[in-house]
Amino acid sequence: MSGTGYQGKKNIPHLTSERLLIKGGRVVNDDQSLYADVYVEDGIIKQVGENLIVPGGVKVIEANGCKVIPGGIDVNTCLHKPYLGTPPVDDFYQGTKAALAGGTTMIIDHVTPQPGDSLLEAFEKWQEAADKKSCCDYSLHVDIPHWHEGVKEELDQLVQEKGINSFQVYMAYKGLFQMPDSQLYEAFSFLKELGAVVLVHAENGDLIAQEQSKILGMGITGPEGHPLSRPEELEAEAVFRAITLGNRVNCPVYITKVMSKSAADIVTNARKKGSVVFGEPITASLATDGSHYWSKNWAKAAAYVTSPPLSPDPTTPDHLHSLLACGDLQVVGSGHCAYSTFQKAIGKDNFTLIPEGTNGVEERMGFVWDKAVAMGKMDENQFVAVTSTNAAKIFNLYPRKGRIAVGSDADIVIWDPDKIKTITTKAQQSALEYNIFEGMECRGGPVYVVSQGRIVFEEGKLQVQQGTGRFISRKPFPDIAYQRIKYRNKVMSKQGVSRGMYDGPVYDIPATPKYITPAPSAKTSPTTHQPPPIRNLHQSNFSLSGAQIDDNIPRRSGHRIVAPPGGRSNITSLG
Amino acid sequence: DQTMSYQGKKNIPKITSERLLIKGGRIVNDDQSFYADIYIEDGVIKQIGDNLIVPGGVKTIEADGKMVIPGGIDIHTHLQMPFRGTSTVDDFSQGTKAALAGGTTMIVDHVIPEPGSSLVEAFERWREWADEKACCDYSLHVDITHWNDSIKQEVLSLIKEKGVNSFQVYMAYKDLYQMSNSELYEIFTFLGEHGGIAQVHAENGEIIAEEQNRMLEMGITGPEGHVLSRPEELEAEAVFRAVTIGSQTNCPLYVTRVMSKSAADIISQARKKGNVVFGEPITASLGTDGTHYWSKNWAKAASFVTSPPLSPDPTTPDYLNTLLASGDLSVVGSAHCTFSVAQKAIGKDDFTQIPEGVNGAEERMSVIWDKAVVTGKMDENMFVAVTSTNAAKILNLYPRKGRIAVGSDSDLVIWDTDATRTITAKTHHSAAEYNVFEGMELRGAPMLVVCQGKIVLEDGNLHATAGTGRFIPCSPYPDFAYKRVKARKQLAILKAVPRGMYDGPVSEFSPMSRGGTPSASTRTSPTKAPARNFYQSGFTLSGPEEAPIRPAGRRIVVPPGGRSNITSLS
């Protein structure tokens, strides 16, 4: 249906200044769609419109009415995250290849240092690996495995010098990555000052640890123990707590891997109440469910092990799609983290040792189209928003990424809404020997993928070169998250009530109180040195009703004592 | 309009076998209302009906068509509570007098052991204090202020031998009473197994500690700092977490002091999802709000300090009364815990030091009548449910308490729906020199209170005697909470999937690495040196067991448990 006319230079796709003209497509951004041609030069979109005047020798792609959309941005991959010393089978080369084949032209990978590691060193290690192997542009999130004073300096450096604006914290993995609420509060406070986006792995790790030992104690060691020990309400609980923390600190919160209806509902409700919170379902939670954990095939059941787990409730994917369509969830990641069956088998006798992760980087966009757009839940603009634009906005890449506009990077996908594909292990780019979506049919897919102005996918064939992906640095304070935060900072400053000093009697506390209201600070001035009260309280004519402004007004109907905050009188003594 | 005819023995109300006939009243229980006479002997209701045949020499009370309701049960008080070497100003005598004056004939007080001390010893101490002074029947909750194996044994003996079935844990008061999630899980599991009710003080103490620091650093030291550092979402968060833990452990949950709309909403939603959870708003949260923390009168502002704090949102009381009427909240306590202004002034320079507590034992029933029944939110039967019957059911004292029925204790109240009184510290029965409801006009008040078969309030005069209150033991597994819990326990048995052993290759890994999924146990046997070459394996997940591809729905339907039993990769 779409044809390509090369004018020379065929098979040399990696030339620096390739010029491309995409003709006859429907340009779809998150806000509007229009028929227009797109002219690309030096990896940048130079012109968008009709009857463009372009130089000769330009390669022309006939889009034939297909959608011309911004390349997808996959905000959640783990292509370099080792498990017990073994790397995932999809590294930056294998993983970005799979991404491109699915229409994704940029990934944001998670740097996962171990507790005690330097964040900076880990970041550099990841960057080195990605620079060597990545086939598409990439950026990095840095996970904070452990909160301490020293980490602050590294975070500051990562934000100011290294172009990182998003950091993940963990509410699960007790004894390893998990942070208690007070550390989360500090981390949120600090990251907010830096203008970063806080990513949260939201599951209650304390309760998971309890449930895991209970379930192992019952003799359940197979993969079904994984969802049994991590029921979805533990996810919902942590999401609720993370949002509460975000509200208190006035810090944007981004929930990675929204896997269940109840967690998604918490995000929805919080947004309705005005919280600055973003929710990211992943390919797996949008396309399959947790019933497979009960498969009698151990290897198959183990393939689905990821955290939070896929919900055994089969209505989950549909619900999550609906929330994506209405904007309550914003971004689709893949959570792509590929461990072979061989690696998964480390946990063959104990589900808590099964390395966690599912595939999905290649299938991500297809399933959103298939299950949301083709079903009439979502329009094509929202499709672009959740697969690309929103991610670019939240992580401050917009409009360089996430939009087809003059000046934007030429990461472009020509999307055929009618292309039908059956997911199989044989046809996939991933190096995994399984695919959790095996056998599923998917409508909608890329015909051409243009990354950095070059055609990297055409007619079902990839033409990629490892090491061409660039690290894209990101500035702090993304508008979509921080505009509101800045205003709220101004209005949220609290003021004390100006009162005269209380000069009435004070009960004399014994020197070593055992029974006290806990005081987090010691800055109170001990009242033991107070001169003994002169007045006898019982002779005082003080009464609370006496001088209050509102006491004389008889109120028959409501009987409310209306005292405006701050009141009006200034009685400070009891006499 | 109410007349009484004594036949001898006037002014000697405390004899053991007083006989009373209440005539012409409308009996209101939580399920129905009807006109009948009540005959009482030896502190027990002996007969209910028309034209009762009663012995001579019986004192007769003409109720004249007024409501006769079960005496109120105040499920939450802190009387004579020790605090920094002193104690709350209302002891068991003063406090129960206030309760009786408001139509409450039984209280349940909280035993608060100091962290590290024995629960049973603290319980015995409270028993002594109450036995000596209480003017009405009482029971005790015991707060679990720390957790270890010996406390477990104490909890067990309190349940089995001492008549305690409810225990409070704290999610706030960091470094003092606060329990971690794991401890909460263990306590809930334990209580769920032994038929106890887990009560929670639900506020996120970790975040409160941070917020308190922040407020003090900003120079906010007055009582407004109390509510600023404890915003209602921290209450809601903790309620949500407690509900989650209760549901995981299948333990009935009771949230003490529901103070805010958002916390109440969490309880409503949880109940709709089937969680066994009860919410207890208190007199103060139903009758007033947190705007007073900004009062320029320090003493007045401090008198409202309690935790969780009263919400500054003035629509809160109305909202909580509505949820009480609809049954989403279950029971009303007073959380009566009174300190003098001089005691409150311990925190005059630092709000975190202000002793926490408000009055409310005396006003409790009238506040609900005025705010919920008079306004048409709640009917009289629901009024009885939330002030008395539900508490009796939760404590497993029903129908001995909380109901007017033959065989029940004769704790009852003739309720005057038309009486109006103005609340003021000048006339209240508490020893506190302030009243957080000061100046409020409340409709509905007890006209006559009968406690243990004796008239203790009549014509506005109290005839209470310290030491007459009995300890009422509460037994475990109250039906109200545990019928459902028991049924669920039988359903909740998890089963492993019967699979053959996985006998494929296993990756080598570094077992000492900290980089793994944390394991609750280390019972894995690391398999080494895989014999097979994995890449030559013909295994695919789409092997023979897969369901056929369905173009219409395209769901891969694999029933839990699957069908095949492939366990090897080749």
Side-chain angles (χ1 to χ4, degrees), chain A residues 114 185 224 233 296 300 370 433-434 497 544 561 566 569, chain B residues 211 224 247 294 296 434 438 497 515 534 541 546 554 561:
Chain A
Q114 294 303 308
Y185 185 99
E224 70 277 16
E233 56 184 332
K296 293 215 172 184
K300 177 174 178 182
D370 180 80
E433 71 279 30
Y434 60 84
V497 174
L544 284 167
I561 300 180
S569 81
Chain B
E211 293 283 64
E224 69 278 14
S247 142
W294 281 267
K296 293 220 172 185
Y434 52 81
E438 187 75 39
V497 174
F534 180 67
L541 283 169
E546 280 297 349
R554 280 167 290 147

PDB file of all heavy atoms in Angstrom, chain A residues 114 185 224 233 296 300 370 433-434 497 544 561 566 569, chain B residues 211 224 247 294 296 434 438 497 515 534 541 546 554 561:
ATOM      1  N   GLN A 114      23.092  -0.867  43.166  1.00  0.00           N
ATOM      2  CA  GLN A 114      22.805  -1.633  44.376  1.00  0.00           C
ATOM      3  C   GLN A 114      23.005  -0.710  45.580  1.00  0.00           C
ATOM      4  O   GLN A 114      23.725   0.280  45.498  1.00  0.00           O
ATOM      5  CB  GLN A 114      23.758  -2.821  44.480  1.00  0.00           C
ATOM      6  CG  GLN A 114      23.551  -3.843  43.381  1.00  0.00           C
ATOM      7  CD  GLN A 114      22.136  -4.366  43.359  1.00  0.00           C
ATOM      8  OE1 GLN A 114      21.617  -4.814  44.366  1.00  0.00           O
ATOM      9  NE2 GLN A 114      21.485  -4.281  42.196  1.00  0.00           N
ATOM     10  N   TYR A 185       9.752  10.816  52.614  1.00  0.00           N
ATOM     11  CA  TYR A 185       9.439  12.228  52.815  1.00  0.00           C
ATOM     12  C   TYR A 185      10.670  13.083  52.525  1.00  0.00           C
ATOM     13  O   TYR A 185      10.592  14.083  51.810  1.00  0.00           O
ATOM     14  CB  TYR A 185       8.963  12.434  54.255  1.00  0.00           C
ATOM     15  CG  TYR A 185       8.478  13.827  54.581  1.00  0.00           C
ATOM     16  CD1 TYR A 185       7.122  14.120  54.595  1.00  0.00           C
ATOM     17  CD2 TYR A 185       9.367  14.852  54.897  1.00  0.00           C
ATOM     18  CE1 TYR A 185       6.655  15.391  54.907  1.00  0.00           C
ATOM     19  CE2 TYR A 185       8.925  16.124  55.208  1.00  0.00           C
ATOM     20  CZ  TYR A 185       7.567  16.388  55.223  1.00  0.00           C
ATOM     21  OH  TYR A 185       7.112  17.654  55.530  1.00  0.00           O
ATOM     22  N   GLU A 224       2.774 -19.150  41.349  1.00  0.00           N
ATOM     23  CA  GLU A 224       1.492 -18.642  41.853  1.00  0.00           C
ATOM     24  C   GLU A 224       1.677 -17.979  43.216  1.00  0.00           C
ATOM     25  O   GLU A 224       0.863 -17.139  43.616  1.00  0.00           O
ATOM     26  CB  GLU A 224       0.436 -19.763  41.909  1.00  0.00           C
ATOM     27  CG  GLU A 224       0.653 -20.840  42.987  1.00  0.00           C
ATOM     28  CD  GLU A 224       1.628 -21.920  42.531  1.00  0.00           C
ATOM     29  OE1 GLU A 224       2.348 -21.692  41.541  1.00  0.00           O
ATOM     30  OE2 GLU A 224       1.668 -22.981  43.181  1.00  0.00           O
ATOM     31  N   GLU A 233      -4.203  -5.181  46.552  1.00  0.00           N
ATOM     32  CA  GLU A 233      -4.450  -4.115  47.523  1.00  0.00           C
ATOM     33  C   GLU A 233      -3.166  -3.596  48.163  1.00  0.00           C
ATOM     34  O   GLU A 233      -3.123  -2.464  48.634  1.00  0.00           O
ATOM     35  CB  GLU A 233      -5.475  -4.524  48.579  1.00  0.00           C
ATOM     36  CG  GLU A 233      -5.154  -5.774  49.328  1.00  0.00           C
ATOM     37  CD  GLU A 233      -6.296  -6.145  50.284  1.00  0.00           C
ATOM     38  OE1 GLU A 233      -7.015  -5.264  50.741  1.00  0.00           O
ATOM     39  OE2 GLU A 233      -6.455  -7.340  50.557  1.00  0.00           O
ATOM     40  N   LYS A 296       0.283 -24.849  34.591  1.00  0.00           N
ATOM     41  CA  LYS A 296       1.014 -26.024  35.070  1.00  0.00           C
ATOM     42  C   LYS A 296       2.406 -26.102  34.467  1.00  0.00           C
ATOM     43  O   LYS A 296       3.228 -26.912  34.879  1.00  0.00           O
ATOM     44  CB  LYS A 296       0.228 -27.283  34.736  1.00  0.00           C
ATOM     45  CG  LYS A 296      -1.064 -27.345  35.529  1.00  0.00           C
ATOM     46  CD  LYS A 296      -1.423 -28.748  35.920  1.00  0.00           C
ATOM     47  CE  LYS A 296      -2.611 -28.683  36.856  1.00  0.00           C
ATOM     48  NZ  LYS A 296      -2.979 -29.992  37.357  1.00  0.00           N
ATOM     49  N   LYS A 300       6.334 -21.289  31.821  1.00  0.00           N
ATOM     50  CA  LYS A 300       5.369 -20.311  31.336  1.00  0.00           C
ATOM     51  C   LYS A 300       4.906 -19.425  32.482  1.00  0.00           C
ATOM     52  O   LYS A 300       4.879 -18.197  32.372  1.00  0.00           O
ATOM     53  CB  LYS A 300       4.173 -21.024  30.704  1.00  0.00           C
ATOM     54  CG  LYS A 300       3.143 -20.024  30.275  1.00  0.00           C
ATOM     55  CD  LYS A 300       1.973 -20.591  29.516  1.00  0.00           C
ATOM     56  CE  LYS A 300       1.045 -19.406  29.226  1.00  0.00           C
ATOM     57  NZ  LYS A 300      -0.163 -19.775  28.541  1.00  0.00           N
ATOM     58  N   ASP A 370      -4.505  -1.718  19.351  1.00  0.00           N
ATOM     59  CA  ASP A 370      -5.444  -2.825  19.189  1.00  0.00           C
ATOM     60  C   ASP A 370      -6.548  -2.796  20.241  1.00  0.00           C
ATOM     61  O   ASP A 370      -7.719  -2.957  19.937  1.00  0.00           O
ATOM     62  CB  ASP A 370      -4.678  -4.143  19.291  1.00  0.00           C
ATOM     63  CG  ASP A 370      -5.575  -5.357  19.142  1.00  0.00           C
ATOM     64  OD1 ASP A 370      -5.897  -5.690  18.000  1.00  0.00           O
ATOM     65  OD2 ASP A 370      -5.971  -5.940  20.180  1.00  0.00           O
ATOM     66  N   GLU A 433      13.349 -16.585  24.636  1.00  0.00           N
ATOM     67  CA  GLU A 433      12.838 -17.771  23.972  1.00  0.00           C
ATOM     68  C   GLU A 433      11.338 -17.934  24.191  1.00  0.00           C
ATOM     69  O   GLU A 433      10.748 -18.946  23.859  1.00  0.00           O
ATOM     70  CB  GLU A 433      13.594 -19.014  24.453  1.00  0.00           C
ATOM     71  CG  GLU A 433      13.299 -19.457  25.876  1.00  0.00           C
ATOM     72  CD  GLU A 433      14.066 -18.671  26.921  1.00  0.00           C
ATOM     73  OE1 GLU A 433      14.355 -17.481  26.666  1.00  0.00           O
ATOM     74  OE2 GLU A 433      14.348 -19.223  27.988  1.00  0.00           O
ATOM     75  N   TYR A 434      10.738 -16.922  24.823  1.00  0.00           N
ATOM     76  CA  TYR A 434       9.291 -16.961  24.990  1.00  0.00           C
ATOM     77  C   TYR A 434       8.771 -15.552  24.770  1.00  0.00           C
ATOM     78  O   TYR A 434       9.538 -14.581  24.661  1.00  0.00           O
ATOM     79  CB  TYR A 434       8.900 -17.456  26.389  1.00  0.00           C
ATOM     80  CG  TYR A 434       9.448 -16.586  27.505  1.00  0.00           C
ATOM     81  CD1 TYR A 434       8.767 -15.424  27.899  1.00  0.00           C
ATOM     82  CD2 TYR A 434      10.627 -16.911  28.166  1.00  0.00           C
ATOM     83  CE1 TYR A 434       9.272 -14.607  28.907  1.00  0.00           C
ATOM     84  CE2 TYR A 434      11.132 -16.098  29.168  1.00  0.00           C
ATOM     85  CZ  TYR A 434      10.453 -14.954  29.532  1.00  0.00           C
ATOM     86  OH  TYR A 434      10.938 -14.146  30.508  1.00  0.00           O
ATOM     87  N   VAL A 497      -0.455  31.844  64.249  1.00  0.00           N
ATOM     88  CA  VAL A 497      -1.376  32.854  64.762  1.00  0.00           C
ATOM     89  C   VAL A 497      -0.581  33.769  65.678  1.00  0.00           C
ATOM     90  O   VAL A 497       0.162  33.288  66.532  1.00  0.00           O
ATOM     91  CB  VAL A 497      -2.519  32.180  65.541  1.00  0.00           C
ATOM     92  CG1 VAL A 497      -3.402  33.220  66.202  1.00  0.00           C
ATOM     93  CG2 VAL A 497      -3.322  31.272  64.633  1.00  0.00           C
ATOM     94  N   LEU A 544     -14.206  30.148  78.861  1.00  0.00           N
ATOM     95  CA  LEU A 544     -13.994  30.210  77.430  1.00  0.00           C
ATOM     96  C   LEU A 544     -15.148  30.887  76.729  1.00  0.00           C
ATOM     97  O   LEU A 544     -15.029  31.392  75.647  1.00  0.00           O
ATOM     98  CB  LEU A 544     -13.816  28.805  76.883  1.00  0.00           C
ATOM     99  CG  LEU A 544     -12.453  28.239  77.190  1.00  0.00           C
ATOM    100  CD1 LEU A 544     -12.447  26.770  76.924  1.00  0.00           C
ATOM    101  CD2 LEU A 544     -11.414  28.952  76.343  1.00  0.00           C
ATOM    102  N   ILE A 561     -21.027  26.946  66.567  1.00  0.00           N
ATOM    103  CA  ILE A 561     -20.192  27.992  67.119  1.00  0.00           C
ATOM    104  C   ILE A 561     -19.320  28.466  65.976  1.00  0.00           C
ATOM    105  O   ILE A 561     -18.437  27.748  65.519  1.00  0.00           O
ATOM    106  CB  ILE A 561     -19.284  27.459  68.239  1.00  0.00           C
ATOM    107  CG1 ILE A 561     -20.142  26.883  69.353  1.00  0.00           C
ATOM    108  CG2 ILE A 561     -18.376  28.559  68.745  1.00  0.00           C
ATOM    109  CD1 ILE A 561     -19.336  26.330  70.489  1.00  0.00           C
ATOM    110  N   GLY A 566      -8.488  32.272  63.563  1.00  0.00           N
ATOM    111  CA  GLY A 566      -7.813  33.465  64.032  1.00  0.00           C
ATOM    112  C   GLY A 566      -8.635  34.253  65.022  1.00  0.00           C
ATOM    113  O   GLY A 566      -8.110  34.983  65.845  1.00  0.00           O
ATOM    114  N   SER A 569     -10.623  38.120  69.303  1.00  0.00           N
ATOM    115  CA  SER A 569     -10.185  38.653  70.584  1.00  0.00           C
ATOM    116  C   SER A 569      -8.746  38.241  70.858  1.00  0.00           C
ATOM    117  O   SER A 569      -8.152  37.462  70.142  1.00  0.00           O
ATOM    118  CB  SER A 569     -11.084  38.129  71.696  1.00  0.00           C
ATOM    119  OG  SER A 569     -10.670  36.834  72.045  1.00  0.00           O
TER     120      SER A 569
ATOM    121  N   GLU B 211       6.454  16.653  59.537  1.00  0.00           N
ATOM    122  CA  GLU B 211       5.676  17.889  59.433  1.00  0.00           C
ATOM    123  C   GLU B 211       5.801  18.731  60.705  1.00  0.00           C
ATOM    124  O   GLU B 211       5.836  19.961  60.650  1.00  0.00           O
ATOM    125  CB  GLU B 211       4.199  17.566  59.168  1.00  0.00           C
ATOM    126  CG  GLU B 211       3.931  16.938  57.819  1.00  0.00           C
ATOM    127  CD  GLU B 211       3.967  17.945  56.684  1.00  0.00           C
ATOM    128  OE1 GLU B 211       5.033  18.523  56.446  1.00  0.00           O
ATOM    129  OE2 GLU B 211       2.929  18.165  56.053  1.00  0.00           O
ATOM    130  N   GLU B 224      -2.303  25.954  66.460  1.00  0.00           N
ATOM    131  CA  GLU B 224      -2.594  25.772  65.032  1.00  0.00           C
ATOM    132  C   GLU B 224      -1.553  24.854  64.381  1.00  0.00           C
ATOM    133  O   GLU B 224      -1.842  24.176  63.392  1.00  0.00           O
ATOM    134  CB  GLU B 224      -2.673  27.119  64.299  1.00  0.00           C
ATOM    135  CG  GLU B 224      -1.362  27.884  64.158  1.00  0.00           C
ATOM    136  CD  GLU B 224      -1.019  28.691  65.417  1.00  0.00           C
ATOM    137  OE1 GLU B 224      -1.655  28.448  66.459  1.00  0.00           O
ATOM    138  OE2 GLU B 224      -0.120  29.541  65.352  1.00  0.00           O
ATOM    139  N   SER B 247      -7.470  -6.518  55.992  1.00  0.00           N
ATOM    140  CA  SER B 247      -7.998  -7.397  54.973  1.00  0.00           C
ATOM    141  C   SER B 247      -7.015  -8.525  54.655  1.00  0.00           C
ATOM    142  O   SER B 247      -7.406  -9.670  54.455  1.00  0.00           O
ATOM    143  CB  SER B 247      -8.345  -6.542  53.753  1.00  0.00           C
ATOM    144  OG  SER B 247      -8.051  -7.188  52.572  1.00  0.00           O
ATOM    145  N   TRP B 294      -7.255  28.189  65.499  1.00  0.00           N
ATOM    146  CA  TRP B 294      -6.704  29.492  65.152  1.00  0.00           C
ATOM    147  C   TRP B 294      -7.187  30.596  66.097  1.00  0.00           C
ATOM    148  O   TRP B 294      -6.959  31.761  65.856  1.00  0.00           O
ATOM    149  CB  TRP B 294      -7.036  29.843  63.700  1.00  0.00           C
ATOM    150  CG  TRP B 294      -6.133  29.150  62.728  1.00  0.00           C
ATOM    151  CD1 TRP B 294      -4.979  29.655  62.205  1.00  0.00           C
ATOM    152  CD2 TRP B 294      -6.277  27.844  62.164  1.00  0.00           C
ATOM    153  NE1 TRP B 294      -4.406  28.732  61.357  1.00  0.00           N
ATOM    154  CE2 TRP B 294      -5.171  27.614  61.313  1.00  0.00           C
ATOM    155  CE3 TRP B 294      -7.231  26.821  62.316  1.00  0.00           C
ATOM    156  CZ2 TRP B 294      -4.998  26.420  60.603  1.00  0.00           C
ATOM    157  CZ3 TRP B 294      -7.064  25.643  61.615  1.00  0.00           C
ATOM    158  CH2 TRP B 294      -5.959  25.442  60.772  1.00  0.00           C
ATOM    159  N   LYS B 296      -7.388  33.234  68.882  1.00  0.00           N
ATOM    160  CA  LYS B 296      -6.302  34.026  69.472  1.00  0.00           C
ATOM    161  C   LYS B 296      -6.172  33.768  70.972  1.00  0.00           C
ATOM    162  O   LYS B 296      -5.199  34.188  71.598  1.00  0.00           O
ATOM    163  CB  LYS B 296      -6.549  35.507  69.222  1.00  0.00           C
ATOM    164  CG  LYS B 296      -6.442  35.833  67.738  1.00  0.00           C
ATOM    165  CD  LYS B 296      -5.736  37.134  67.488  1.00  0.00           C
ATOM    166  CE  LYS B 296      -5.511  37.273  65.994  1.00  0.00           C
ATOM    167  NZ  LYS B 296      -4.731  38.449  65.654  1.00  0.00           N
ATOM    168  N   TYR B 434     -13.030  24.047  80.870  1.00  0.00           N
ATOM    169  CA  TYR B 434     -13.504  24.477  79.558  1.00  0.00           C
ATOM    170  C   TYR B 434     -14.357  23.360  78.974  1.00  0.00           C
ATOM    171  O   TYR B 434     -14.374  22.241  79.494  1.00  0.00           O
ATOM    172  CB  TYR B 434     -12.331  24.771  78.625  1.00  0.00           C
ATOM    173  CG  TYR B 434     -11.370  23.622  78.564  1.00  0.00           C
ATOM    174  CD1 TYR B 434     -11.649  22.533  77.736  1.00  0.00           C
ATOM    175  CD2 TYR B 434     -10.231  23.591  79.344  1.00  0.00           C
ATOM    176  CE1 TYR B 434     -10.822  21.450  77.723  1.00  0.00           C
ATOM    177  CE2 TYR B 434      -9.397  22.494  79.335  1.00  0.00           C
ATOM    178  CZ  TYR B 434      -9.704  21.426  78.516  1.00  0.00           C
ATOM    179  OH  TYR B 434      -8.891  20.340  78.507  1.00  0.00           O
ATOM    180  N   GLU B 438     -18.821  24.669  74.237  1.00  0.00           N
ATOM    181  CA  GLU B 438     -19.300  25.841  74.964  1.00  0.00           C
ATOM    182  C   GLU B 438     -20.271  26.672  74.124  1.00  0.00           C
ATOM    183  O   GLU B 438     -19.977  27.034  72.977  1.00  0.00           O
ATOM    184  CB  GLU B 438     -18.095  26.718  75.345  1.00  0.00           C
ATOM    185  CG  GLU B 438     -18.409  27.895  76.243  1.00  0.00           C
ATOM    186  CD  GLU B 438     -18.675  27.489  77.685  1.00  0.00           C
ATOM    187  OE1 GLU B 438     -17.974  26.588  78.187  1.00  0.00           O
ATOM    188  OE2 GLU B 438     -19.597  28.050  78.302  1.00  0.00           O
ATOM    189  N   VAL B 497      -0.092 -24.946  43.016  1.00  0.00           N
ATOM    190  CA  VAL B 497      -0.401 -25.626  41.762  1.00  0.00           C
ATOM    191  C   VAL B 497       0.404 -26.922  41.725  1.00  0.00           C
ATOM    192  O   VAL B 497       1.617 -26.898  41.923  1.00  0.00           O
ATOM    193  CB  VAL B 497      -0.016 -24.739  40.561  1.00  0.00           C
ATOM    194  CG1 VAL B 497      -0.205 -25.490  39.256  1.00  0.00           C
ATOM    195  CG2 VAL B 497      -0.818 -23.449  40.569  1.00  0.00           C
ATOM    196  N   GLY B 515      21.811  -7.913  44.963  1.00  0.00           N
ATOM    197  CA  GLY B 515      21.026  -7.371  43.854  1.00  0.00           C
ATOM    198  C   GLY B 515      19.789  -8.159  43.512  1.00  0.00           C
ATOM    199  O   GLY B 515      19.215  -7.946  42.474  1.00  0.00           O
ATOM    200  N   PHE B 534      20.587 -24.886  26.314  1.00  0.00           N
ATOM    201  CA  PHE B 534      19.281 -24.248  26.266  1.00  0.00           C
ATOM    202  C   PHE B 534      18.867 -23.844  24.852  1.00  0.00           C
ATOM    203  O   PHE B 534      17.719 -23.924  24.474  1.00  0.00           O
ATOM    204  CB  PHE B 534      19.327 -23.020  27.165  1.00  0.00           C
ATOM    205  CG  PHE B 534      18.052 -22.297  27.182  1.00  0.00           C
ATOM    206  CD1 PHE B 534      16.933 -22.890  27.740  1.00  0.00           C
ATOM    207  CD2 PHE B 534      17.945 -21.054  26.618  1.00  0.00           C
ATOM    208  CE1 PHE B 534      15.739 -22.228  27.744  1.00  0.00           C
ATOM    209  CE2 PHE B 534      16.755 -20.401  26.620  1.00  0.00           C
ATOM    210  CZ  PHE B 534      15.656 -20.975  27.183  1.00  0.00           C
ATOM    211  N   LEU B 541       6.720 -21.437  24.622  1.00  0.00           N
ATOM    212  CA  LEU B 541       5.575 -21.292  25.511  1.00  0.00           C
ATOM    213  C   LEU B 541       4.279 -21.517  24.778  1.00  0.00           C
ATOM    214  O   LEU B 541       3.250 -21.747  25.359  1.00  0.00           O
ATOM    215  CB  LEU B 541       5.587 -19.893  26.109  1.00  0.00           C
ATOM    216  CG  LEU B 541       6.606 -19.748  27.215  1.00  0.00           C
ATOM    217  CD1 LEU B 541       6.746 -18.307  27.570  1.00  0.00           C
ATOM    218  CD2 LEU B 541       6.164 -20.544  28.411  1.00  0.00           C
ATOM    219  N   GLU B 546      -1.287 -24.500  24.738  1.00  0.00           N
ATOM    220  CA  GLU B 546      -1.923 -23.206  24.545  1.00  0.00           C
ATOM    221  C   GLU B 546      -3.340 -23.320  24.011  1.00  0.00           C
ATOM    222  O   GLU B 546      -3.656 -24.171  23.206  1.00  0.00           O
ATOM    223  CB  GLU B 546      -1.094 -22.369  23.578  1.00  0.00           C
ATOM    224  CG  GLU B 546       0.092 -21.722  24.239  1.00  0.00           C
ATOM    225  CD  GLU B 546      -0.317 -20.742  25.330  1.00  0.00           C
ATOM    226  OE1 GLU B 546      -1.510 -20.416  25.436  1.00  0.00           O
ATOM    227  OE2 GLU B 546       0.573 -20.319  26.081  1.00  0.00           O
ATOM    228  N   ARG B 554      -9.604 -12.457  21.064  1.00  0.00           N
ATOM    229  CA  ARG B 554      -8.160 -12.637  21.043  1.00  0.00           C
ATOM    230  C   ARG B 554      -7.547 -12.759  22.424  1.00  0.00           C
ATOM    231  O   ARG B 554      -6.380 -12.501  22.606  1.00  0.00           O
ATOM    232  CB  ARG B 554      -7.501 -11.521  20.236  1.00  0.00           C
ATOM    233  CG  ARG B 554      -7.606 -11.807  18.765  1.00  0.00           C
ATOM    234  CD  ARG B 554      -7.256 -10.605  17.960  1.00  0.00           C
ATOM    235  NE  ARG B 554      -8.270  -9.596  18.079  1.00  0.00           N
ATOM    236  CZ  ARG B 554      -8.022  -8.311  18.050  1.00  0.00           C
ATOM    237  NH1 ARG B 554      -6.808  -7.871  17.970  1.00  0.00           N
ATOM    238  NH2 ARG B 554      -9.005  -7.438  18.113  1.00  0.00           N
ATOM    239  N   GLY B 561      -4.350 -22.998  36.640  1.00  0.00           N
ATOM    240  CA  GLY B 561      -4.043 -24.414  36.737  1.00  0.00           C
ATOM    241  C   GLY B 561      -3.697 -25.013  35.381  1.00  0.00           C
ATOM    242  O   GLY B 561      -3.045 -26.025  35.281  1.00  0.00           O
TER     243      GLY B 561
END
